[in-house]
Amino acid sequence: MENAGRGLADKLAELGTAGPVAICCGKGNNAGDGFVLARHLDVRRLEVRVLVWGDPAALAGDARINFDCIARSGIAIEVFSGHDGPRLAQCLEGAAWIVDALLGTGATGEPRPPLDQVIDTLNAHPAPKLAVDLPSGLDCDTGQPAGHTIRAAHTCTFVAAKPGFLVPGADQYTGQVHVLDIGIPRRLIEEVLREQGESG
């Protein structure tokens, strides 16, 4: 998670941002990556706003540890229990980038409320979106989008591109895909990719 968040910060710096970054988080490990990203951007003196959907007390494992880190760091955090369109619009005002760390690879089917409306609101905002691992709402295996799916300008995925990213039309949601190295042993990666090729 630490390597993922630092890699995301490096990529955002490479893409260029001079304004606030709004990091939109759910309640899983994808959110944890977003919390680490927030910390690394703050160290670089970039304005960061972390928006969380769900009770932070329900976070577990590394995601909880990294939330506690940013909570003590003075980074702006807004916790949402629902969509709350007017408040969300205020939090997104002036954002140079919106980071989608809402749903990870474990999510299936249609995004549940309130994330369905949240995704629609984020898509309607003019700031470019960067998706963490995959755009929320996109099936990483089939490449099929849900009715509410983030349309990212860039997707930073980890270790290797997801099979669904190669499906025609998926690029409407992923934008440009960047594969980030997070320190997984090369031999393990090669074995997994070989097994995927054989099963395909």
Side-chain angles (χ1 to χ4, degrees), residues 1 9 18 35 40-41 53 69 87 96 100 119 144 171 179 190:
M1 189 172 287
F35 302 149
H40 281 280
L41 293 179
W53 278 267
C69 285
R87 182 177 165 214
D100 163 33
I119 287 170
Q144 295 303 306
D171 59 344
V179 179
E190 291 172 351

Side-chain angles (χ1 to χ4, degrees), residues 45-173:
R45 301 187 181 279
L46 289 172
E47 182 182 346
V48 182
R49 306 166 187 167
V50 177
L51 317 181
V52 183
W53 278 267
D55 182 2
L59 292 166
D62 289 340
R64 177 59 184 270
I65 291 169
N66 282 292
F67 177 82
D68 289 344
C69 285
I70 64 167
R72 290 193 293 266
S73 71
I75 291 172
I77 300 173
E78 296 284 342
V79 177
F80 290 77
S81 58
H83 174 231
D84 198 345
R87 182 177 165 214
L88 176 53
Q90 184 176 21
C91 290
L92 296 176
E93 187 174 353
W97 282 92
I98 293 172
V99 175
D100 163 33
L102 292 169
L103 298 170
T105 56
T108 57
E110 291 288 337
R112 298 181 184 131
L115 295 186
D116 52 354
Q117 288 182 287
V118 171
I119 287 170
D120 290 347
T121 298
L122 299 183
N123 280 336
H125 194 278
K129 286 72 170 173
L130 182 143
V132 175
D133 209 17
L134 77 164
S136 294
L138 186 72
D139 189 302
C140 66
D141 294 321
T142 67
Q144 295 303 306
H148 306 270
T149 299
I150 286 287
R151 291 182 178 271
H154 297 268
T155 294
C156 288
T157 196
F158 308 120
V159 183
K162 308 296 186 281
F165 293 176
L166 306 178
V167 173
D171 59 344
Q172 298 177 43
Y173 302 92

Side-chain angles (χ1 to χ4, degrees), residues 181-193:
D181 170 29
I182 57 172
I184 303 295
R186 177 178 55 82
R187 180 176 292 182
L188 180 59
I189 296 172
E190 291 172 351
E191 288 175 0
V192 171
L193 292 175

Side-chain angles (χ1 to χ4, degrees), residues 17-42:
T17 178
V21 178
I23 304 176
C24 302
C25 301
K27 54 187 179 181
N29 285 337
N30 203 246
D33 296 336
F35 302 149
V36 177
L37 167 62
R39 176 162 45 83
H40 281 280
L41 293 179
D42 180 63

Side-chain angles (χ1 to χ4, degrees), residues 192-200:
V192 171
L193 292 175
R194 186 166 55 250
E195 289 172 3
Q196 287 180 347
E198 291 172 355
S199 63

